[in-house]
Each structure stands twice: as structure tokens, then as C-alpha cells.
Amino acid sequence: MRESVCADDAERLIKGLLNQERTALARTITLIEDESPCAEEILKEAFRHRGNSKIVGLTGAPGVGKSSLVDNLVSIIRDEGSTVGIIAVDPSSPFTGGAILGDRVRMRSRTTDEGVFFRSLASRGHLGGLSRHTGDVVTLMDAFGFDYILIETVGTGQSEVDIMLYAHTVVVVLAPGMGDDIQAIKAGILEIGDVFCVNKADHPGADKTVSVIESMLELNKDWKWKPPVVKTVAAEQVGVEDLLEQIKSHLEYLRANDLMDKRVSRSYRASLEENIRRETVDKVLRCAIKDGVLDVMLDEMLKGKSDPVTCARELVRKYLCGKEI
Ligand SMILES: Nc1nc2c(ncn2[C@@H]2O[C@H](COP(=O)(O)OP(=O)(O)O)[C@@H](O)[C@H]2O)c(=O)[nH]1
Ligand SMILES: [Mg+2]
């Protein structure tokens, strides 16, 4: 019964999505976040229609100015007549003002501008992981037909780095005087950056930060694409055109060197992993929570009657093995 209702709904939403109806897009994203079975059909169909968007990720520590940059990039992209979908996977800390800036883009997309669509994804899902839906939302926005998709995420952990795998071009954003974050760069982000952006160039030490990044990039002699380092003052709309030019150059480089497929398959791989986790780890935990089995097991562990290894095996056997999933 549920299936047939779902099928109708899915068909209508797919049609709407491909007709660039924003309500259909918004509704489908909600279905995905709710992990509704209807979302699956839509996603399968949407996947067949993706492949035209330029997907750009922006990552960096909280407060460096990612949302401000996104806001600026959106203005320039719109001035060029292109459309843009924005995905913010950002806890929007009240201390950084992230929420307020996000609101600015969100307001524009809700009120006057049909060419902008903003969606923030809850960064912590109910199972405790980082948003597992980013890849799916990228697929939907791509199928919808935005010229650009911008993904903003806080670049502090591995999961955030993983989200960047959905992008064709990754922009790593820094601000001057961030000694600790230069260390963080060493721990993984340097490798994924295609373009580096030193924002808040109105603050002292911007040139120093640029040269630190450049000297780190020098260590890798194998670059076919040497990531450019761009200075911006997002608060005053300075340097953001140059940033967009560098992003476009990188996309052009990928295309000219037949590297786009590699990037795309990187994102498919990330999507695949995301889906496998959802079909296994998330499913087992969800079932165990729903049935109350998890609480029972935790209690048994507390009483010394069981252990995580045994319980994990039991849960996998109970909820995955021999069952249709
Ligand atoms: N001085 C200065 N402040 C900036 C600049 N860009 C952003 N900001 C401010 O820095 C704060 C954090 O910016 P936001 O874009 O929310 O950073 P996010 O957390 O990385 O998204 C806000 O108060 C911005 O107004 C800049 O280029 N210079
Ligand atoms: Mg932000």
C-alpha cells in the first residue's frame, strides 16, 4: 500500500525536479533527510540526469569567511547569468556569525531570485554521524540543472574532508594568523585543495599566510596543477572575481586533461560508501534502537554479561544476514 502511494509521489516529484520546480526539489530533499523510501526512486532517476553542474566545495575552519565568500560568489555567478544551488553542511556556530550570513543567501533564494537555491543540512544526524545526505542532495541539484553547486563545510575533521570528495574543485579557505590551522592543513586538507583562498586579507599577516601555503605546496613537485593561492576580503567583496576565475581555470584544467571522469568517479565512490553505510551500519543501529535491543545490550555490557564484539555480531546477524535489505 505504502509503495503505491510512494510511487505516485515519486513520479510527480521527479517530473517537478526535472522541470526545475523548486518546491519539488525542496520536498525531495526533505524526503531524503527523513530517509523516506520514496526518496530512493527519485534519487535513482535523478542520477540518470546529473552531470551538468560545476560542483565546487569550500572548506575551512569556522569563522574564516566561507559563508561570506559563498555569498559573494553567488552574486558574481548570478551577474554572469548562471544559476546556483548552495549546500551548507555547517553547524552555523552563533559565535562565528555563520547562521546570519547563511540567512542572507537563504533570504535571497526565497524571495527575489529564482536562480538561487539554498539548503543547509543538519551536520549531525540522529545516529551521530556527519550529514550522510550531501551526496544525494548534490545529485538532486545537479539533475535539477543548476550551473553551479557550492558546498560549504567546516573543514575540521575527516568527515568534512570526505564531503569535499563530492566537489570537482575544492577551495580551502584560511585566514591570516591561524598558526594552528596551518598545522591542520598538513593533516590532510593540503592534499585535497585545488585552490587556496586566504580570506580576511585586510588583517595583518595575510602575505605571510600566503607564503606559508605556497612553500608547503612547493614540497610537492608532482603537481600537474599547482594550486593557486588567492587573497580575498569577502567582507568588502574584494578578490572574489579572481577566486571564481581560478575555480573556472581548475575546471578547465580537469576538462582539458581528461581528468573530469576521475573526479566524477571519486564522487561516485564517496556516494557509494555513503549508501553502503546507510544500508548497513545505520540500518542495524536504527533497527536495534527501534526494537529496544540496543538498550538491552548496553545494559548487559554494563553488567559484564556481554561485550561489544559479541553484540555487534549478534546485531549484524539479526538485522542484516539472510534478510532482504
Ligand atoms: N575583516 C574581515 N572580516 C570578514 C571577512 N570575511 C568575513 N568576515 C567576517 O568574519 C565572520 C565569519 O564569517 P563567515 O563567513 O560566517 O565564516 P564561516 O564560518 O567560515 O562561514 C563574519 O563576522 C564576517 O563578517 C573579511 O574578508 N575581512
Ligand atoms: Mg559558514
Side-chain angles (χ1 to χ4, degrees):
M1 185 64 194
R2 193 184 64 178
E3 267 179 23
S4 70
V5 171
C6 182
D8 288 346
D9 203 25
E11 205 173 302
R12 187 175 55 76
L13 286 171
I14 289 164
K15 253 197 197 144
L17 192 75
L18 299 178
N19 276 331
Q20 302 203 317
E21 287 166 21
R22 300 158 63 89
T23 47
L25 176 59
R27 172 85 190 120
T28 310
I29 296 174
T30 303
L31 288 177
I32 284 171
E33 284 187 311
D34 293 349
E35 306 200 338
S36 152
C38 295
E40 258 178 43
E41 285 313 306
I42 304 171
L43 272 171
K44 283 188 210 162
E45 188 60 25
F47 191 83
R48 282 189 270 279
H49 293 271
R50 61 174 288 163
N52 294 310
S53 302
K54 302 178 180 82
I55 305 167
V56 181
L58 289 97
T59 189
V64 292
K66 297 175 301 297
S67 297
S68 312
L69 286 165
V70 166
D71 200 37
N72 279 280
L73 287 168
V74 167
S75 298
I76 302 168
I77 288 168
R78 292 300 294 134
D79 285 347
E80 290 179 353
S82 298
T83 59
V84 58
I86 302 128
I87 305 168
V89 190
D90 187 342
S92 290
S93 154
F95 302 110
T96 64
I100 296 158
L101 284 152
D103 280 347
R104 242 162 58 191
V105 179
R106 195 178 304 140
M107 258 166 58
R108 172 163 46 207
S109 68
R110 285 226 180 119
T111 52
T112 50
D113 195 341
E114 285 280 306
V116 179
F117 185 95
F118 177 92
R119 185 73 175 223
S120 66
L121 297 179
S123 73
R124 303 275 156 205
H126 64 291
L127 294 172
L130 203 93
S131 174
R132 295 255 167 97
H133 305 292
T134 314
D136 292 340
V137 178
V138 169
T139 299
L140 292 180
M141 287 192 175
D142 195 341
F144 184 93
F146 289 109
D147 297 313
Y148 284 88
I149 298 170
L150 305 181
I151 313 168
E152 175 193 339
T153 185
V154 174
T156 48
Q158 185 57 43
S159 327
E160 289 88 345
V161 171
D162 288 348
I163 285 182
M164 285 295 109
L165 300 178
Y166 294 113
H168 300 144
T169 299
V170 176
V171 180
V172 174
V173 187
L174 298 108
M178 304 176 38
D180 289 349
D181 286 286
I182 298 277
Q183 294 304 313
I185 284 194
K186 281 185 193 159
I189 273 189
L190 189 69
E191 288 78 10
I192 61 159
D194 300 305
V195 175
F196 285 79
C197 174
V198 177
N199 187 45
K200 301 196 179 181
D202 53 327
H203 285 188
D207 288 330
K208 168 118 198 301
T209 306
V210 170
S211 62
V212 170
I213 298 165
E214 275 174 347
S215 61
M216 283 175 137
L217 294 172
E218 281 300 322
L219 296 176
N220 187 346
K221 300 277 181 213
D222 295 335
W223 297 115
K224 288 189 193 79
W225 165 265
K226 184 154 179 286
V229 186
V230 185
K231 276 196 292 185
T232 56
V233 185
E236 294 163 22
Q237 287 122 53
V238 172
V240 190
E241 281 95 354
D242 185 28
L243 177 61
L244 185 58
E245 280 315 308
Q246 298 295 349
I247 290 167
K248 288 180 184 171
S249 298
H250 179 256
L251 288 164
E252 193 42 51
Y253 156 82
L254 290 178
R255 245 174 242 119
N257 292 281
D258 287 330
L259 293 169
M260 199 47 125
D261 274 359
K262 234 177 160 176
R263 285 290 157 120
V264 173
S265 80
R266 182 173 89 169
S267 82
Y268 290 174
R269 161 94 191 237
S271 227
L272 186 66
E273 289 185 13
E274 188 174 272
N275 276 286
I276 291 173
R277 272 191 293 269
R278 209 178 300 148
E279 298 272 332
T280 55
V281 179
D282 290 6
K283 187 187 159 75
V284 170
L285 281 174
R286 205 168 36 239
C287 293
I289 291 167
K290 190 167 142 258
D291 294 355
V293 177
L294 191 78
D295 281 340
V296 172
M297 283 184 165
L298 290 173
D299 203 42
E300 282 182 356
M301 283 188 244
L302 276 175
K303 288 180 182 145
K305 289 186 190 159
S306 192
D307 60 87
V309 179
T310 309
C311 289
R313 198 152 290 161
E314 225 172 273
L315 288 176
V316 168
R317 202 175 302 129
K318 183 171 166 68
Y319 293 115
L320 288 185
C321 299
K323 289 199 171 191
E324 202 186 321
I325 50 172

